[in-house]
Amino acid sequence: MRNRRFFLTQIVKLLLQSILYILLFSAFFGFQSISNPQILNLSRTAVTTMVAFCLSTLTLSAVYGGFDIGIRKRRSVLSSMSLTFFFTDIVTYLFLQIMNVNPQNPEANQRLMLWGEDFLWLIAAIAVQLVLIYLFVTIGHRLYYRINPPQRSLIITSSQELANQVARKLESYRARYQLCEVIHYECPDVKKTILEHEVIFLAGIPDTEEGLLEAYCYKHHRSIYLMAELEDVIISTAESAILDDMPFLSIHRVEPTIMQRFFKRLIDIVCSLSGLIITSPILLITALLIKLTDNGSVFFRQKRATIDGKVFEIVKFRTMYEQDRDVEQYSAQKDDARVTPLGNFLRKYRIDELPQLYNVLKGEMSMVGPRPEMLENVDKYTREVPEFRYRQQMKAGLTGLAQIEGKYNTSPKDKAMLDLLYIEQFSLAQDFKLMLRTLTVFFRRDSTEGFGEVTSNCPKMRVTAKERPESSVPAKANGVPKKDETPMRTAL
Protein backbone atom coordinates (compact mmCIF):
# COMPACT_ATOMS: atom_id res chain seq x y z
CA MET A 1 0.00 0.00 0.00
CA ARG A 2 2.79 2.40 0.96
CA ASN A 3 4.78 1.70 -2.24
CA ARG A 4 1.70 2.13 -4.42
CA ARG A 5 0.90 5.44 -2.75
CA PHE A 6 4.52 6.58 -3.16
CA PHE A 7 4.66 5.80 -6.88
CA LEU A 8 1.23 7.32 -7.51
CA THR A 9 2.36 10.51 -5.75
CA GLN A 10 5.54 10.67 -7.85
CA ILE A 11 3.63 10.16 -11.09
CA VAL A 12 1.05 12.85 -10.29
CA LYS A 13 3.72 15.28 -9.14
CA LEU A 14 5.91 14.68 -12.21
CA LEU A 15 2.94 15.04 -14.56
CA LEU A 16 1.75 18.31 -13.00
CA GLN A 17 5.28 19.71 -12.82
CA SER A 18 6.01 18.86 -16.48
CA ILE A 19 2.80 20.44 -17.72
CA LEU A 20 3.33 23.53 -15.54
CA TYR A 21 6.91 24.11 -16.69
CA ILE A 22 5.93 23.71 -20.35
CA LEU A 23 3.11 26.22 -19.91
CA LEU A 24 5.38 28.70 -18.12
CA PHE A 25 7.96 28.38 -20.88
CA SER A 26 5.26 28.79 -23.53
CA ALA A 27 3.78 31.84 -21.77
CA PHE A 28 7.05 33.75 -21.85
CA PHE A 29 8.02 32.89 -25.42
CA GLY A 30 4.44 33.11 -26.67
CA PHE A 31 4.03 36.71 -25.53
CA GLN A 32 7.53 37.75 -26.58
CA SER A 33 7.06 36.23 -30.04
CA ILE A 34 4.27 38.76 -30.74
CA SER A 35 6.89 41.48 -31.17
CA ASN A 36 9.83 39.10 -31.76
CA PRO A 37 8.67 36.46 -34.28
CA GLN A 38 12.29 35.40 -34.87
CA ILE A 39 12.39 33.50 -31.56
CA LEU A 40 9.94 30.96 -32.99
CA ASN A 41 12.48 30.00 -35.66
CA LEU A 42 15.68 28.03 -35.22
CA SER A 43 17.93 31.08 -34.94
CA ARG A 44 20.81 32.17 -32.75
CA THR A 45 18.48 34.51 -30.85
CA ALA A 46 15.95 31.75 -30.23
CA VAL A 47 18.53 29.21 -29.03
CA THR A 48 20.31 31.73 -26.78
CA THR A 49 17.14 32.93 -25.07
CA MET A 50 15.79 29.40 -24.63
CA VAL A 51 19.07 28.21 -23.09
CA ALA A 52 19.08 31.29 -20.82
CA PHE A 53 15.50 30.50 -19.70
CA CYS A 54 16.28 26.84 -18.94
CA LEU A 55 19.57 27.51 -17.13
CA SER A 56 18.02 30.33 -15.08
CA THR A 57 15.13 28.06 -14.12
CA LEU A 58 17.48 25.29 -12.97
CA THR A 59 19.76 27.66 -11.04
CA LEU A 60 16.99 29.59 -9.31
CA SER A 61 15.08 26.39 -8.51
CA ALA A 62 18.18 25.23 -6.65
CA VAL A 63 18.11 28.49 -4.69
CA TYR A 64 14.39 28.86 -3.97
CA GLY A 65 13.10 25.33 -4.47
CA GLY A 66 10.88 23.90 -7.17
CA PHE A 67 7.54 22.13 -7.27
CA ASP A 68 8.02 20.76 -3.74
CA ILE A 69 4.43 19.72 -3.09
CA GLY A 70 4.11 17.77 0.16
CA ILE A 71 7.59 18.77 1.30
CA ARG A 72 6.97 22.44 2.03
CA LYS A 73 3.87 24.45 2.84
CA ARG A 74 1.69 25.57 -0.06
CA ARG A 75 2.40 29.25 0.60
CA SER A 76 6.14 28.57 0.62
CA VAL A 77 5.98 26.69 -2.70
CA LEU A 78 3.91 29.50 -4.24
CA SER A 79 6.36 32.21 -3.19
CA SER A 80 9.43 30.20 -4.19
CA MET A 81 8.17 29.32 -7.66
CA SER A 82 6.88 32.85 -8.24
CA LEU A 83 10.30 34.29 -7.41
CA THR A 84 12.06 31.64 -9.52
CA PHE A 85 10.13 32.42 -12.68
CA PHE A 86 10.00 36.17 -12.06
CA PHE A 87 13.80 36.35 -12.06
CA THR A 88 14.02 33.78 -14.87
CA ASP A 89 11.82 36.01 -17.04
CA ILE A 90 13.92 39.08 -16.19
CA VAL A 91 17.21 37.34 -17.05
CA THR A 92 15.83 35.86 -20.28
CA TYR A 93 14.29 39.18 -21.25
CA LEU A 94 17.68 40.90 -20.86
CA PHE A 95 19.32 38.23 -23.03
CA LEU A 96 16.64 38.71 -25.68
CA GLN A 97 17.08 42.48 -25.75
CA ILE A 98 20.86 42.16 -26.00
CA MET A 99 20.52 39.68 -28.87
CA ASN A 100 18.16 42.10 -30.64
CA VAL A 101 20.81 44.83 -30.79
CA ASN A 102 22.56 44.90 -34.17
CA PRO A 103 23.67 48.32 -35.52
CA GLN A 104 24.55 46.68 -38.85
CA ASN A 105 20.98 45.46 -39.44
CA PRO A 106 18.42 48.21 -40.14
CA GLU A 107 15.58 45.84 -39.09
CA ALA A 108 17.15 45.19 -35.69
CA ASN A 109 17.43 47.50 -32.69
CA GLN A 110 20.23 50.03 -33.04
CA ARG A 111 20.63 50.24 -29.25
CA LEU A 112 19.54 48.39 -26.13
CA MET A 113 15.81 48.93 -25.52
CA LEU A 114 14.41 47.76 -22.19
CA TRP A 115 11.16 49.69 -21.89
CA GLY A 116 9.51 49.27 -25.29
CA GLU A 117 6.69 47.03 -26.47
CA ASP A 118 8.58 43.92 -25.37
CA PHE A 119 8.43 45.09 -21.75
CA LEU A 120 4.62 45.23 -21.83
CA TRP A 121 4.51 41.66 -23.13
CA LEU A 122 6.94 40.69 -20.34
CA ILE A 123 4.50 42.03 -17.75
CA ALA A 124 1.66 40.11 -19.42
CA ALA A 125 3.72 36.89 -19.41
CA ILE A 126 4.58 37.26 -15.71
CA ALA A 127 0.91 37.83 -14.84
CA VAL A 128 -0.16 34.69 -16.71
CA GLN A 129 2.65 32.68 -15.13
CA LEU A 130 1.61 33.73 -11.62
CA VAL A 131 -1.94 32.54 -12.31
CA LEU A 132 -0.64 29.22 -13.68
CA ILE A 133 1.63 28.70 -10.66
CA TYR A 134 -1.23 29.39 -8.25
CA LEU A 135 -3.57 26.96 -10.05
CA PHE A 136 -1.09 24.10 -10.38
CA VAL A 137 0.33 24.42 -6.87
CA THR A 138 -3.18 24.49 -5.40
CA ILE A 139 -4.29 21.47 -7.47
CA GLY A 140 -1.06 19.61 -6.68
CA HIS A 141 -1.41 20.37 -2.98
CA ARG A 142 -4.95 18.99 -2.86
CA LEU A 143 -4.12 15.89 -4.90
CA TYR A 144 -1.05 15.15 -2.78
CA TYR A 145 -3.01 15.13 0.48
CA ARG A 146 -5.87 13.19 -1.08
CA ILE A 147 -3.38 10.47 -2.00
CA ASN A 148 -1.40 10.88 1.24
CA PRO A 149 -3.63 11.37 4.30
CA PRO A 150 -2.01 12.70 7.50
CA GLN A 151 0.55 10.26 8.85
CA ARG A 152 0.00 8.83 12.30
CA SER A 153 2.72 10.44 14.41
CA LEU A 154 4.27 9.63 17.76
CA ILE A 155 6.49 11.76 20.00
CA ILE A 156 8.98 9.85 22.15
CA THR A 157 10.55 12.18 24.68
CA SER A 158 11.82 12.67 28.20
CA SER A 159 9.47 15.46 29.33
CA GLN A 160 6.05 16.95 28.67
CA GLU A 161 7.68 20.35 28.06
CA LEU A 162 9.68 19.04 25.09
CA ALA A 163 6.60 17.26 23.77
CA ASN A 164 4.68 20.55 23.88
CA GLN A 165 7.43 22.26 21.89
CA VAL A 166 7.32 19.63 19.15
CA ALA A 167 3.50 19.59 19.15
CA ARG A 168 3.39 23.37 18.58
CA LYS A 169 5.51 22.97 15.46
CA LEU A 170 3.40 20.08 14.18
CA GLU A 171 0.24 22.19 14.37
CA SER A 172 1.47 24.06 11.29
CA TYR A 173 1.60 20.75 9.42
CA ARG A 174 -1.75 19.22 10.30
CA ALA A 175 -2.34 18.11 6.71
CA ARG A 176 0.86 16.06 6.87
CA TYR A 177 1.09 14.78 10.44
CA GLN A 178 -1.59 13.57 12.85
CA LEU A 179 -0.16 13.62 16.35
CA CYS A 180 -1.74 10.62 18.04
CA GLU A 181 0.32 9.96 21.13
CA VAL A 182 3.20 11.09 23.36
CA ILE A 183 5.21 8.49 25.26
CA HIS A 184 8.21 8.49 27.60
CA TYR A 185 11.26 6.78 26.12
CA GLU A 186 11.44 4.34 29.07
CA CYS A 187 7.81 3.27 28.76
CA PRO A 188 7.64 -0.57 28.75
CA ASP A 189 5.63 -0.80 25.52
CA VAL A 190 7.57 1.82 23.55
CA LYS A 191 8.39 -0.67 20.75
CA LYS A 192 4.78 -1.79 20.36
CA THR A 193 3.72 1.85 20.22
CA ILE A 194 6.26 2.59 17.47
CA LEU A 195 4.74 -0.13 15.30
CA GLU A 196 1.33 1.58 15.58
CA HIS A 197 2.61 4.81 14.01
CA GLU A 198 4.21 5.91 10.74
CA VAL A 199 6.35 8.88 11.83
CA ILE A 200 8.39 9.02 15.03
CA PHE A 201 9.69 12.24 16.62
CA LEU A 202 12.53 11.81 19.12
CA ALA A 203 13.19 14.71 21.48
CA GLY A 204 15.51 15.03 24.47
CA ILE A 205 16.43 11.34 24.77
CA PRO A 206 19.82 10.18 26.17
CA ASP A 207 22.25 9.11 23.45
CA THR A 208 22.25 5.38 24.22
CA GLU A 209 18.47 5.04 24.27
CA GLU A 210 18.14 7.34 21.26
CA GLY A 211 20.51 5.14 19.28
CA LEU A 212 18.48 2.03 20.12
CA LEU A 213 15.22 3.72 19.14
CA GLU A 214 16.72 4.99 15.88
CA ALA A 215 17.90 1.49 14.98
CA TYR A 216 14.50 0.00 15.81
CA CYS A 217 12.62 2.60 13.74
CA TYR A 218 15.03 2.16 10.83
CA LYS A 219 14.67 -1.63 10.99
CA HIS A 220 10.88 -1.34 10.82
CA HIS A 221 10.76 1.34 8.11
CA ARG A 222 9.48 4.15 10.28
CA SER A 223 10.29 7.76 9.39
CA ILE A 224 12.36 9.44 12.12
CA TYR A 225 12.76 13.09 13.13
CA LEU A 226 15.46 13.90 15.70
CA MET A 227 15.49 17.14 17.68
CA ALA A 228 18.88 18.63 16.77
CA GLU A 229 21.56 19.15 19.40
CA LEU A 230 24.98 20.78 19.11
CA GLU A 231 26.69 17.48 18.35
CA ASP A 232 24.23 16.88 15.51
CA VAL A 233 25.15 20.24 13.95
CA ILE A 234 28.84 19.40 14.23
CA ILE A 235 28.47 15.97 12.66
CA SER A 236 26.33 17.36 9.82
CA THR A 237 29.50 18.75 8.21
CA ALA A 238 31.44 15.48 8.56
CA GLU A 239 33.19 14.04 5.52
CA SER A 240 33.66 10.34 4.91
CA ALA A 241 37.24 9.11 5.22
CA ILE A 242 38.65 5.61 4.83
CA LEU A 243 41.85 4.83 6.72
CA ASP A 244 43.24 1.64 5.22
CA ASP A 245 39.95 -0.31 5.10
CA MET A 246 38.15 1.27 8.06
CA PRO A 247 35.49 3.97 7.44
CA PHE A 248 35.62 7.10 9.59
CA LEU A 249 33.81 10.43 9.71
CA SER A 250 36.24 13.34 9.49
CA ILE A 251 35.17 16.44 11.45
CA HIS A 252 37.32 19.56 11.49
CA ARG A 253 36.74 23.29 11.69
CA VAL A 254 37.49 25.11 8.43
CA GLU A 255 38.09 28.82 8.95
CA PRO A 256 37.29 31.18 6.04
CA THR A 257 40.39 31.69 3.89
CA ILE A 258 41.98 35.09 3.26
CA MET A 259 40.42 35.18 -0.22
CA GLN A 260 36.99 34.25 1.14
CA ARG A 261 37.25 37.03 3.74
CA PHE A 262 38.34 39.51 1.06
CA PHE A 263 35.49 38.66 -1.32
CA LYS A 264 32.94 38.54 1.50
CA ARG A 265 33.94 42.07 2.54
CA LEU A 266 33.95 43.21 -1.10
CA ILE A 267 30.42 41.81 -1.56
CA ASP A 268 29.35 43.59 1.65
CA ILE A 269 30.62 46.95 0.37
CA VAL A 270 29.11 46.59 -3.11
CA CYS A 271 25.73 45.29 -1.87
CA SER A 272 25.33 47.76 1.01
CA LEU A 273 26.33 50.77 -1.10
CA SER A 274 24.06 49.67 -3.96
CA GLY A 275 21.26 48.97 -1.50
CA LEU A 276 21.50 52.40 0.09
CA ILE A 277 21.40 54.07 -3.32
CA ILE A 278 18.51 51.97 -4.70
CA THR A 279 16.39 52.23 -1.54
CA SER A 280 17.15 55.91 -0.90
CA PRO A 281 13.59 56.98 -1.92
CA ILE A 282 12.14 54.45 0.54
CA LEU A 283 14.55 55.60 3.25
CA LEU A 284 13.59 59.25 2.72
CA ILE A 285 9.82 58.61 2.68
CA THR A 286 10.02 56.40 5.78
CA ALA A 287 12.04 59.00 7.68
CA LEU A 288 9.49 61.69 6.84
CA LEU A 289 6.54 59.49 7.88
CA ILE A 290 8.13 58.67 11.23
CA LYS A 291 8.84 62.35 11.88
CA LEU A 292 5.34 63.44 10.86
CA THR A 293 3.43 60.78 12.81
CA ASP A 294 4.80 61.43 16.30
CA ASN A 295 7.59 64.00 15.84
CA GLY A 296 10.11 61.73 17.56
CA SER A 297 13.56 60.60 16.52
CA VAL A 298 13.74 58.84 13.16
CA PHE A 299 16.36 56.26 14.03
CA PHE A 300 16.65 53.72 16.82
CA ARG A 301 20.14 52.86 18.04
CA GLN A 302 20.99 49.95 20.29
CA LYS A 303 24.13 48.09 21.31
CA ARG A 304 24.42 44.64 19.77
CA ALA A 305 27.03 41.86 19.88
CA THR A 306 28.96 40.63 16.87
CA ILE A 307 32.10 38.54 16.18
CA ASP A 308 34.19 37.67 19.27
CA GLY A 309 31.67 39.48 21.46
CA LYS A 310 32.53 42.92 20.07
CA VAL A 311 29.85 45.52 20.69
CA PHE A 312 28.56 47.92 18.04
CA GLU A 313 25.59 50.26 17.76
CA ILE A 314 22.97 49.05 15.32
CA VAL A 315 20.88 51.58 13.37
CA LYS A 316 17.22 50.91 12.53
CA PHE A 317 14.13 52.96 11.86
CA ARG A 318 12.25 53.57 15.10
CA THR A 319 9.13 51.41 15.29
CA MET A 320 8.24 51.95 18.95
CA TYR A 321 7.19 54.94 21.00
CA GLU A 322 10.21 56.69 22.47
CA GLN A 323 11.18 55.49 25.93
CA ASP A 324 13.54 56.53 28.66
CA ARG A 325 16.96 55.03 27.92
CA ASP A 326 17.23 53.92 31.54
CA VAL A 327 14.21 51.63 31.16
CA GLU A 328 15.11 47.96 30.81
CA GLN A 329 15.12 46.84 27.19
CA TYR A 330 13.44 43.59 26.14
CA SER A 331 12.42 41.96 22.85
CA ALA A 332 9.09 42.79 21.24
CA GLN A 333 6.16 40.76 22.51
CA LYS A 334 3.03 39.64 20.71
CA ASP A 335 0.65 42.64 20.32
CA ASP A 336 3.31 44.82 21.97
CA ALA A 337 1.79 48.17 23.02
CA ARG A 338 5.18 49.86 22.54
CA VAL A 339 4.99 49.44 18.73
CA THR A 340 3.48 52.36 16.80
CA PRO A 341 0.88 51.81 14.04
CA LEU A 342 3.47 52.83 11.44
CA GLY A 343 6.00 50.62 13.22
CA ASN A 344 3.80 47.57 12.72
CA PHE A 345 3.86 48.18 8.97
CA LEU A 346 7.62 48.80 8.91
CA ARG A 347 8.31 45.63 10.91
CA LYS A 348 5.99 43.50 8.79
CA TYR A 349 7.83 44.35 5.58
CA ARG A 350 11.29 44.64 7.22
CA ILE A 351 11.64 48.27 6.12
CA ASP A 352 12.85 49.18 9.61
CA GLU A 353 16.02 47.13 8.99
CA LEU A 354 17.16 48.99 5.85
CA PRO A 355 19.36 51.47 7.77
CA GLN A 356 21.48 48.48 8.84
CA LEU A 357 23.01 48.70 5.37
CA TYR A 358 25.01 51.58 6.87
CA ASN A 359 26.35 49.20 9.55
CA VAL A 360 27.34 46.77 6.79
CA LEU A 361 29.10 49.51 4.82
CA LYS A 362 31.07 50.51 7.95
CA GLY A 363 32.15 46.89 8.46
CA GLU A 364 30.31 46.42 11.76
CA MET A 365 28.00 43.85 10.17
CA SER A 366 28.01 41.61 7.11
CA MET A 367 25.26 41.07 4.57
CA VAL A 368 25.02 37.44 5.69
CA GLY A 369 25.77 36.11 9.15
CA PRO A 370 24.29 35.26 12.56
CA ARG A 371 21.53 37.53 13.82
CA PRO A 372 22.85 40.45 15.95
CA GLU A 373 21.26 40.07 19.39
CA MET A 374 20.64 42.61 22.15
CA LEU A 375 23.34 42.48 24.83
CA GLU A 376 20.65 41.71 27.44
CA ASN A 377 19.52 38.72 25.37
CA VAL A 378 23.07 37.46 24.76
CA ASP A 379 23.73 37.19 28.51
CA LYS A 380 20.34 35.65 29.20
CA TYR A 381 20.41 33.16 26.32
CA THR A 382 24.00 32.08 27.03
CA ARG A 383 22.99 31.15 30.56
CA GLU A 384 20.05 29.13 29.22
CA VAL A 385 21.84 27.66 26.20
CA PRO A 386 25.67 27.57 26.57
CA GLU A 387 26.02 26.83 22.83
CA PHE A 388 24.63 30.31 22.11
CA ARG A 389 28.11 31.84 22.51
CA TYR A 390 29.40 29.85 19.51
CA ARG A 391 27.34 32.13 17.24
CA GLN A 392 29.97 34.85 17.74
CA GLN A 393 32.51 32.99 15.63
CA MET A 394 31.39 35.06 12.63
CA LYS A 395 30.36 38.68 12.10
CA ALA A 396 26.65 39.40 12.64
CA GLY A 397 24.60 39.66 9.45
CA LEU A 398 21.68 41.60 8.02
CA THR A 399 20.32 38.30 6.76
CA GLY A 400 21.21 34.67 7.37
CA LEU A 401 19.85 31.18 7.87
CA ALA A 402 18.31 32.03 11.26
CA GLN A 403 16.71 35.21 9.88
CA ILE A 404 15.21 33.35 6.90
CA GLU A 405 14.20 30.00 8.39
CA GLY A 406 13.50 31.29 11.88
CA LYS A 407 11.12 33.86 13.26
CA TYR A 408 11.51 36.82 15.57
CA ASN A 409 10.27 34.67 18.46
CA THR A 410 12.29 31.55 17.59
CA SER A 411 13.67 29.98 20.77
CA PRO A 412 17.29 30.79 21.73
CA LYS A 413 18.34 27.16 21.25
CA ASP A 414 16.86 26.98 17.75
CA LYS A 415 18.44 30.32 16.82
CA ALA A 416 21.81 28.99 17.97
CA MET A 417 21.37 25.77 15.98
CA LEU A 418 20.44 27.65 12.79
CA ASP A 419 23.35 30.07 13.15
CA LEU A 420 25.78 27.22 13.85
CA LEU A 421 24.55 25.39 10.74
CA TYR A 422 25.39 28.50 8.71
CA ILE A 423 28.82 28.86 10.34
CA GLU A 424 29.74 25.20 9.86
CA GLN A 425 28.59 25.19 6.23
CA PHE A 426 29.98 28.62 5.29
CA SER A 427 30.78 29.35 1.66
CA LEU A 428 30.44 32.37 -0.61
CA ALA A 429 27.98 30.39 -2.73
CA GLN A 430 25.86 29.78 0.38
CA ASP A 431 25.97 33.52 1.15
CA PHE A 432 24.75 34.35 -2.35
CA LYS A 433 21.96 31.80 -2.05
CA LEU A 434 20.83 33.18 1.32
CA MET A 435 20.80 36.75 -0.01
CA LEU A 436 18.46 35.66 -2.80
CA ARG A 437 16.31 33.62 -0.41
CA THR A 438 15.83 36.65 1.86
CA LEU A 439 12.99 37.74 -0.44
CA THR A 440 10.93 34.72 0.67
CA VAL A 441 10.63 36.27 4.17
CA PHE A 442 8.20 38.87 2.81
CA PHE A 443 5.72 36.11 1.94
CA ARG A 444 5.64 34.67 5.48
CA ARG A 445 2.93 35.89 7.84
CA ASP A 446 4.69 34.76 11.03
CA SER A 447 8.26 35.95 10.37
CA THR A 448 7.93 39.03 12.61
CA GLU A 449 5.73 37.41 15.26
CA GLY A 450 6.67 38.68 18.72
CA PHE A 451 7.35 36.68 21.86
CA GLY A 452 4.37 35.58 23.85
CA GLU A 453 2.71 32.60 25.46
CA VAL A 454 1.90 29.90 22.92
CA THR A 455 -0.35 26.96 23.68
CA SER A 456 -0.70 23.64 21.89
CA ASN A 457 -3.06 20.69 21.89
CA CYS A 458 -0.50 18.13 22.92
CA PRO A 459 -1.51 14.73 24.33
CA LYS A 460 -0.34 13.98 27.86
CA MET A 461 2.88 11.99 27.94
CA ARG A 462 2.29 8.34 28.80
CA VAL A 463 4.81 6.64 31.11
CA THR A 464 3.12 3.27 31.65
CA ALA A 465 2.12 0.53 29.26
CA LYS A 466 -1.44 0.61 28.00
CA GLU A 467 -3.69 -2.39 27.70
CA ARG A 468 -4.24 -3.52 24.12
CA PRO A 469 -6.56 -6.18 22.79
CA GLU A 470 -4.68 -8.89 20.95
CA SER A 471 -6.03 -7.63 17.63
CA SER A 472 -4.95 -4.00 18.18
CA VAL A 473 -1.43 -4.61 16.80
CA PRO A 474 -1.39 -6.36 13.43
CA ALA A 475 0.35 -9.69 13.30
CA LYS A 476 2.49 -8.15 10.59
CA ALA A 477 3.19 -4.44 10.13
CA ASN A 478 5.05 -3.75 6.89
CA GLY A 479 6.49 -7.21 6.95
CA VAL A 480 7.43 -7.11 10.67
CA PRO A 481 6.31 -10.09 12.78
CA LYS A 482 4.41 -9.30 15.95
CA LYS A 483 6.72 -11.48 18.04
CA ASP A 484 9.48 -8.83 17.89
CA GLU A 485 8.76 -7.44 21.34
CA THR A 486 12.14 -7.67 23.07
CA PRO A 487 12.90 -5.18 25.89
CA MET A 488 14.14 -1.80 24.77
CA ARG A 489 17.62 -2.09 26.25
CA THR A 490 18.42 -5.46 24.63
CA ALA A 491 19.98 -5.88 21.21
CA LEU A 492 17.75 -4.88 18.31
Side-chain angles (χ1 to χ4, degrees):
M1 176 63 181
R2 177 181 294 181
N3 287 338
R4 188 179 72 177
R5 195 162 57 196
F6 172 78
F7 286 115
L8 179 59
T9 301
Q10 296 303 307
I11 291 171
V12 170
K13 182 178 176 179
L14 181 60
L15 182 62
L16 287 174
Q17 184 176 9
S18 300
I19 295 173
L20 174 59
Y21 278 55
I22 290 172
L23 290 175
L24 296 173
F25 179 92
S26 301
F28 178 84
F29 284 94
F31 279 103
Q32 287 299 314
S33 67
I34 297 174
S35 53
N36 297 276
Q38 71 273 18
I39 64 174
L40 297 181
N41 302 320
L42 189 59
S43 62
R44 185 180 63 174
T45 299
V47 173
T48 302
T49 52
M50 289 180 183
V51 169
F53 187 94
C54 294
L55 290 179
S56 297
T57 300
L58 290 173
T59 303
L60 291 166
S61 293
V63 172
Y64 291 114
F67 197 70
D68 298 329
I69 298 298
I71 299 175
R72 295 183 295 150
K73 296 178 183 179
R74 185 176 74 98
R75 189 182 183 88
S76 178
V77 178
L78 282 171
S79 61
S80 296
M81 291 203 66
S82 297
L83 288 169
T84 293
F85 282 94
F86 174 79
F87 287 121
T88 293
D89 289 350
I90 297 297
V91 170
T92 311
Y93 176 77
L94 290 174
F95 269 90
L96 177 60
Q97 298 311 309
I98 292 171
M99 294 298 296
N100 280 340
V101 176
N102 186 353
Q104 307 301 322
N105 185 353
E107 296 183 359
N109 295 334
Q110 302 302 302
R111 58 185 177 81
L112 186 63
M113 298 179 61
L114 299 178
W115 314 109
E117 181 184 359
D118 292 353
F119 183 74
L120 297 177
W121 293 124
L122 172 66
I123 300 299
I126 292 174
V128 171
Q129 287 176 334
L130 291 176
V131 173
L132 288 171
I133 290 171
Y134 179 84
L135 289 174
F136 274 78
V137 170
T138 301
I139 293 170
H141 183 82
R142 291 178 180 176
L143 287 177
Y144 180 91
Y145 288 111
R146 180 166 294 183
I147 298 171
N148 300 275
Q151 296 175 294
R152 290 179 54 82
S153 303
L154 166 71
I155 297 176
I156 303 178
T157 184
S158 57
S159 71
Q160 185 68 50
E161 181 182 359
L162 284 173
N164 292 339
Q165 292 179 23
V166 177
R168 283 197 293 268
K169 305 305 178 184
L170 292 182
E171 285 180 359
S172 299
Y173 296 88
R174 289 177 186 148
R176 190 171 179 182
Y177 305 112
Q178 178 188 359
L179 180 56
C180 301
E181 198 169 353
V182 175
I183 187 173
H184 193 275
Y185 70 93
E186 289 185 327
C187 194
D189 63 341
V190 63
K191 294 172 68 177
K192 285 184 179 179
T193 309
I194 288 174
L195 296 180
E196 296 171 354
H197 299 82
E198 300 170 275
V199 181
I200 314 299
F201 292 87
L202 305 179
I205 301 175
D207 292 342
T208 301
E209 286 78 2
E210 184 179 77
L212 292 170
L213 288 169
E214 287 177 33
Y216 188 79
C217 293
Y218 181 80
K219 175 182 177 182
H220 298 306
H221 309 285
R222 294 311 190 260
S223 298
I224 314 169
Y225 285 85
L226 306 177
M227 180 177 283
E229 302 292 344
L230 177 62
E231 56 269 24
D232 301 314
V233 174
I234 294 173
I235 204 170
S236 69
T237 60
E239 299 176 355
S240 59
I242 299 177
L243 303 182
D244 196 3
D245 60 349
M246 182 175 291
F248 283 84
L249 290 178
S250 173
I251 304 173
H252 57 278
R253 285 296 315 279
V254 179
E255 296 290 338
T257 64
I258 293 177
M259 292 305 294
Q260 283 179 320
R261 293 174 188 269
F262 171 77
F263 281 110
K264 185 173 175 65
R265 180 58 188 145
L266 181 62
I267 292 170
D268 287 344
I269 294 172
V270 172
C271 290
S272 59
L273 188 58
S274 302
L276 287 170
I277 294 171
I278 294 171
T279 62
S280 56
I282 299 175
L283 295 171
L284 180 59
I285 293 171
T286 303
L288 289 172
L289 288 174
I290 293 174
K291 199 68 178 175
L292 292 173
T293 50
D294 61 4
N295 198 32
S297 58
V298 171
F299 297 108
F300 168 76
R301 300 175 185 273
Q302 189 179 61
K303 295 186 182 300
R304 299 287 178 99
T306 183
I307 187 170
D308 298 329
K310 294 178 181 177
V311 178
F312 72 103
E313 198 169 58
I314 201 169
V315 182
K316 302 174 70 174
F317 280 125
R318 182 173 58 84
T319 59
M320 295 185 178
Y321 295 105
E322 288 195 289
Q323 304 174 43
D324 190 332
R325 289 186 176 272
D326 295 331
V327 175
E328 182 183 357
Q329 300 293 317
Y330 57 92
S331 299
Q333 308 294 307
K334 187 176 181 181
D335 300 324
D336 200 319
R338 298 175 299 165
V339 180
T340 66
L342 176 61
N344 277 317
F345 176 83
L346 298 179
R347 293 168 72 90
K348 180 178 180 180
Y349 295 102
R350 304 298 180 99
I351 298 173
D352 63 315
E353 298 188 4
L354 288 178
Q356 292 179 59
L357 290 169
Y358 175 68
N359 293 115
V360 176
L361 186 61
K362 288 177 62 180
E364 297 169 332
M365 291 176 62
S366 180
M367 288 299 295
V368 184
R371 186 184 186 120
E373 282 290 348
M374 294 168 48
L375 298 185
E376 293 84 356
N377 284 350
V378 172
D379 295 336
K380 176 184 175 183
Y381 295 162
T382 303
R383 289 194 298 269
E384 296 175 4
V385 185
E387 298 87 352
F388 200 80
R389 65 180 180 272
Y390 296 132
R391 302 167 61 256
Q392 297 178 357
Q393 296 175 82
M394 291 194 75
K395 191 181 294 185
L398 180 60
T399 187
L401 188 62
Q403 293 91 314
I404 295 170
E405 296 294 348
K407 298 181 288 187
Y408 184 80
N409 62 355
T410 297
S411 70
K413 180 181 177 180
D414 290 338
K415 283 182 182 178
M417 294 296 114
L418 289 169
D419 283 329
L420 287 174
L421 278 173
Y422 165 73
I423 293 170
E424 293 297 324
Q425 299 173 1
F426 168 74
S427 70
L428 293 176
Q430 178 77 347
D431 276 11
F432 179 70
K433 180 178 179 179
L434 289 172
M435 281 192 284
L436 289 176
R437 286 186 58 204
T438 302
L439 293 173
T440 61
V441 174
F442 297 104
F443 296 91
R444 293 180 54 187
R445 296 174 180 173
D446 58 356
S447 61
T448 56
E449 186 177 76
F451 288 88
E453 185 176 352
V454 182
T455 58
S456 65
N457 296 319
C458 180
K460 186 177 180 180
M461 181 176 67
R462 182 165 58 82
V463 295
T464 59
K466 65 179 180 181
E467 295 185 6
R468 294 179 176 83
E470 288 297 322
S471 59
S472 64
V473 179
K476 221 174 201 186
N478 295 324
V480 180
K482 180 184 173 183
K483 65 180 181 180
D484 190 1
E485 297 175 356
T486 54
M488 187 65 240
R489 293 179 181 272
T490 61
L492 296 172

